[in-house]
Amino acid sequence: MTSAHGHDVGNDAALVLDAPAAQDGGDPRTEEDFAPRAPSRRGSAVDWLIIHQFDAARASPGGIDTVIRGILRHLDPSVSVAVVGVDTTPGGDPQRVGRWETHSYGERTFRFMPVVSLDPADQSRRIPHTARLVAGVVRHRGSLPPARRLQCHRMDTALTLSALLRVPLAYVIHTQVAGSTGRSSDSFWRFAGQIHPRLENAVIRRAADVRVFSPARLEAVQRVNPIARAATTWWEPELLERAAAEAPVRDSHRIVWIGRVEKLKSPDFAVEAFVELLREDPGTPWSLHFYGPGTELEALTRQIEALPREIGQRITIHGPVAPQEIARVQASSGVFLMTTFAGYEGFPTVIVESLAAGMPVVSTEGADPAGLVQDGRTGFTSPRDPREFAERIRRSVGLDRDELRSAVAHLSAPAAVGRLMQAAEARDRAFSPRFEALDGRLLLDSMEFMIGSDAQVDDELDRLAHTGRPELVVTANVDHVLSLRTSSALLAAYRGASLRLVDGMPLVGLARVLGLAQAERHTGADLLPHTAAVAAERGWRIVVTGGADDVAAEAVARLKSAHPGADLHHVPFPYMPRVDDPLSQEVIDRLKRLDPSLVYLCLGSPKQEAWFEHWRRELPAAVYVGAGAAVDFAAGARRRAPRALQMIGGEWTWRLVQEPRRMAGRYLGRGPRFLGVIARSVLRDRLRVGR
């Protein structure tokens, strides 16, 4: 059952086919579970380095643990993987910490190193588990293998370790928004207000790959980083097939609750609903069974003991059991209950497994964000009302069990893991800005930039204006190029742009050093008045949007005055803190009525590019130019640097003097880093020529 914190240890363990089983709640591991311990050493490079508060030898994993185990089991054998996690031996085992072990899940053998000892049941910890994990990674950093990709499943580990290790990040999101920050969460982030979502958005933006297990969050995550893709949980065919063969005859009136016995999972509500069920239907041999460990076991026991004897004797608490036994329970029981509070679950594994085993699911509203529970087909959803919930339990008994299995047939582990881990090659490597000149073209990581004359740019704009689609034009300056390393949203916009222009004399100078003597500069500030000048000749209708309304209106008025024949318009762009703001629809509707040829988006980067990408499907066909401060210059609200200063690449000094606070970080902090881009580009060019 995927949870917010990876602490669930109930039916999720059913996915682990070969892990030793806990029979009495003690440490389930034997000597055979560990390979001989070798001294700490870095080892050879791996394709994937997974870091999480995960113990490869733990018999009862939580939701995130289950996902990791499924990945390890079903990942393509040609892909090498190493896992860094924690030791969960009761009392801790210092002999394990900092040493590589060899483990096997199915036919997959992998290396695992715990870097700290943790008690997963310790929910009152003063130092968060993730902080201790990060500290352990830092302490044993020298033993980590080089890796093509780092995979993290929690925001705090992803934030710190991706920066520390400088490896492309694959970030996996398991929870809904309130999973870590909600009032009922056991995470320390619940005390941090909006800090957690802001930090997580920073991680999402910078990640090379983002997978979202919570369907309820996917759209919101994609607004932060368009490359985010949905992930699905899965069920293990081998495990369920084995369990079905071993299970006793199915008891349709045997109701099961499987998961961690915690407040958020609301096992007490399951008892309340069961009481109502017996009051309405006392003659049917209903029984209720709880499986899984948790901090609320004692409270649950007291609640049952307080019931009338004829009701209490029908309820059994089994505690933690072996994975194979859980699978047999699913194969032989009648109804599964999901009573978790709304907003907590991501993509609950236990629902998938129960349906795959032919067991209908009755869920409280919001406990199944994946939408697998379909009323009358795979089970029923219910308000948090015991009487209504009981009624749906009764109705679920008659559902077609073959129909249940077919509903999740596409979620078998081999197929789901393959989809989860599949990624484009471009996302597998760190983006390192590096230009090259090839066949008279300027390329940045296979992205071509136009370096020709104004007339050539005009021709290309005219061609794009007649494609019948929204087309994006980006103008690359030094700040953009450096931001491509950290902003996957901007990188996605650049990769999807129809035309890329060179804005900034440092880039022009680099192109000329690479042998492209014809390279010319095309800034947004120059492009707007230039296209206004040729608009009448080309038959273009130009719209300016963005910037302060009075400034934008003044810009259009000045351009009309300078070019009387130009068809120019202004569309106000209201303040929007987010690119998905519904107010955008007003802008889009006005654009549709105007039917423009060119639209200048003067919102600043990367907001203007992100806004275009988000609304691309609703925008009218036109050429959209990310023009930033062009509207301010056209209105006279800002002065351009003297032309002579522009030509020698010194415009940045002019802007720094004008806006020292805003521009100091860009030019004095980021500017020198462009020297690395120059060095890599020139070196690559010299090496290529040398060959």
Side-chain angles (χ1 to χ4, degrees):
M1 194 181 301
T2 304
S3 76
H5 315 292
H7 298 146
D8 277 342
V9 288
N11 189 50
D12 303 323
L15 297 185
V16 188
L17 303 188
D18 303 314
Q23 302 298 329
D24 57 2
D27 184 8
R29 291 171 295 210
T30 64
E31 292 183 3
E32 297 85 68
D33 298 326
F34 303 100
R37 299 184 177 110
S40 298
R41 56 188 176 85
R42 179 177 290 271
S44 57
V46 296
D47 296 310
W48 286 82
L49 177 63
I50 301 174
I51 301 181
H52 185 66
Q53 53 209 57
F54 162 87
D55 189 346
R58 185 181 173 197
S60 299
I64 299 178
D65 294 28
T66 299
V67 169
I68 295 173
R69 290 169 185 262
I71 290 171
L72 293 170
R73 173 178 289 279
H74 298 288
L75 188 61
D76 189 311
S78 65
V79 179
S80 58
V81 61
V83 185
V84 172
V86 302
D87 162 51
T88 60
T89 307
D93 183 355
Q95 295 300 312
R96 296 187 67 197
V97 175
R99 294 178 177 268
W100 286 102
E101 304 167 355
T102 301
H103 292 261
S104 296
Y105 295 159
E107 298 182 359
R108 158 73 70 170
T109 297
F110 63 94
R111 299 172 70 224
F112 170 74
M113 181 174 67
V115 292
V116 66
S117 292
L118 297 177
D119 178 4
D122 177 16
Q123 303 296 317
S124 61
R125 55 199 179 273
R126 294 184 179 180
I127 302 176
H129 283 177
T130 49
R132 295 180 63 190
L133 173 63
V134 170
V137 172
V138 173
R139 188 179 305 116
H140 300 285
R141 183 180 178 184
S143 299
L144 302 181
R148 292 181 62 200
R149 173 171 294 194
L150 169 68
Q151 178 176 300
C152 291
H153 297 251
R154 298 284 298 274
M155 180 280 294
D156 24 14
T157 52
L159 182 68
T160 53
L161 295 178
S162 61
L164 175 69
L165 303 178
R166 297 186 178 275
V167 177
L169 172 67
Y171 183 50
V172 186
I173 300 174
H174 296 260
T175 68
Q176 299 185 54
V177 174
S180 294
T181 60
R183 188 176 297 176
S184 55
S185 170
D186 62 0
S187 170
F188 71 97
W189 286 110
R190 69 188 184 277
F191 304 114
Q194 291 300 305
I195 295 177
H196 183 282
R198 290 174 181 173
L199 291 176
E200 186 166 53
N201 283 345
V203 170
I204 293 169
R205 280 192 293 269
R206 298 178 63 176
D209 195 22
V210 182
R211 302 306 175 101
V212 186
F213 273 86
S214 175
R217 287 195 65 184
L218 178 60
E219 185 176 352
V221 173
Q222 286 178 328
R223 288 195 292 266
V224 180
N225 190 339
I227 71 172
R229 286 179 285 177
T232 58
T233 192
W234 51 78
W235 55 276
E236 291 280 356
E238 182 181 343
L239 180 68
L240 293 185
E241 289 168 5
R242 189 194 313 170
E246 299 173 351
V249 176
R250 188 183 297 275
D251 180 354
S252 298
H253 300 105
R254 190 175 195 271
I255 305 167
V256 296
W257 189 103
I258 304 169
R260 280 196 62 85
V261 185
E262 305 289 351
K263 288 184 179 180
L264 274 180
K265 303 254 183 214
S266 193
D268 57 328
F269 179 77
V271 174
E272 295 171 9
F274 185 72
V275 171
E276 290 294 331
L277 179 66
L278 293 188
R279 286 175 179 170
E280 295 290 333
D281 190 11
T284 300
W286 299 106
S287 63
L288 175 61
H289 301 260
F290 289 90
Y291 295 89
T295 60
E296 291 296 302
L297 278 172
E298 186 176 342
L300 181 63
T301 300
R302 290 196 301 268
Q303 180 187 13
I304 296 169
E305 290 175 345
L307 296 172
R309 184 173 180 275
E310 63 272 17
I311 297 177
Q313 65 183 7
R314 295 199 191 192
I315 306 175
T316 306
I317 299 176
H318 298 267
V321 300
Q324 188 63 30
E325 179 58 28
I326 288 291
R328 285 192 288 268
V329 167
Q330 291 172 312
S332 60
S333 299
V335 184
F336 169 71
L337 306 185
M338 171 67 83
T339 56
T340 309
F341 284 99
Y344 184 74
E345 300 286 356
F347 199 134
T349 304
V350 70
I351 291 181
V352 178
E353 294 173 339
S354 297
L355 294 175
M359 186 167 53
V361 178
V362 180
S363 166
T364 49
E365 292 176 345
D368 172 33
L372 293 172
V373 182
Q374 302 172 23
D375 285 353
R377 183 190 178 202
T378 59
F380 294 93
T381 57
S382 169
R384 191 168 285 277
D385 178 89
R387 183 170 294 181
E388 292 193 37
F389 199 86
E391 173 60 25
R392 285 159 174 79
I393 293 174
R394 190 161 40 246
R395 293 167 61 188
S396 68
V397 172
L399 296 178
D400 187 333
R401 299 188 183 276
D402 289 334
E403 184 77 3
L404 305 178
R405 298 184 184 95
S406 66
V408 292
H410 64 295
L411 298 177
S412 66
V417 172
R419 292 192 298 269
L420 173 66
M421 303 301 285
Q422 185 181 16
E425 177 64 25
R427 297 174 187 162
D428 280 342
R429 63 182 187 275
F431 182 84
S432 182
R434 184 172 54 201
F435 287 88
E436 65 175 325
L438 186 64
D439 300 327
R441 301 173 298 155
L442 180 64
L443 302 177
L444 172 63
D445 195 50
S446 76
M447 296 182 289
E448 183 174 356
F449 288 74
M450 174 167 279
I451 56 175
S453 64
D454 287 346
Q456 290 173 313
V457 172
D458 292 345
D459 290 342
E460 185 62 13
L461 291 174
D462 200 51
R463 184 187 71 81
L464 294 174
H466 292 87
T467 63
R469 304 184 300 270
E471 308 280 4
L472 178 65
V473 178
V474 293
T475 56
N477 55 31
V478 168
D479 189 62
H480 279 205
V481 171
L482 294 174
S483 295
L484 293 175
R485 295 189 62 178
T486 56
S487 174
S488 51
L490 185 62
L491 180 58
Y494 262 70
R495 293 197 186 283
S498 303
L499 177 63
R500 307 172 194 88
L501 300 175
V502 176
D503 176 353
M505 288 306 297
L507 294 180
V508 173
L510 176 58
R512 292 172 180 173
V513 168
L514 296 176
L516 301 173
Q518 75 277 22
E520 294 189 20
R521 182 190 187 195
H522 304 281
T523 72
D526 290 328
L527 200 60
L528 175 56
H530 171 76
T531 54
V534 300
E537 176 188 346
R538 295 277 181 169
W540 292 339
R541 175 173 293 167
I542 299 175
V543 175
V544 177
T545 188
D549 283 348
D550 57 340
V551 173
E554 176 64 19
V556 170
R558 288 192 175 203
L559 291 170
K560 280 185 174 182
S561 177
H563 311 287
D567 190 359
L568 293 165
H569 303 266
H570 162 233
V571 169
F573 199 100
Y575 171 73
M576 303 179 201
R578 300 177 5 157
V579 297
D580 63 335
D581 196 302
L583 287 175
S584 296
Q585 199 61 58
E586 298 179 11
V587 178
I588 295 171
D589 291 342
R590 292 192 178 193
L591 290 175
K592 287 179 178 178
R593 288 194 293 270
L594 287 170
D595 189 25
S597 307
L598 275 68
V599 178
Y600 282 87
L601 296 174
C602 302
L603 309 178
S605 182
K607 184 177 180 178
Q608 58 201 18
E609 292 83 10
W611 187 86
F612 173 86
E613 288 294 330
H614 183 80
W615 297 101
R616 179 195 287 265
R617 295 181 180 177
E618 302 203 29
L619 290 169
V623 180
Y624 294 80
V625 183
V631 66
D632 297 320
F633 294 123
R638 293 187 195 177
R639 290 179 57 197
R640 294 280 311 269
R643 177 62 64 176
L645 197 60
Q646 294 181 40
M647 296 303 296
I648 63 173
E651 190 169 8
W652 67 271
T653 60
W654 179 269
R655 296 195 66 183
L656 181 61
V657 171
Q658 288 188 315
E659 303 176 87
R661 290 187 177 181
R662 193 167 79 89
M663 294 299 171
R666 174 184 296 186
Y667 294 131
L668 301 182
R670 296 169 61 82
R673 289 162 50 191
F674 189 67
L675 296 174
V677 177
I678 296 174
R680 286 192 298 273
S681 303
V682 173
L683 180 61
R684 175 173 178 161
D685 182 70
R686 298 295 182 264
L687 291 174
R688 182 176 59 81
V689 172
R691 288 196 300 270

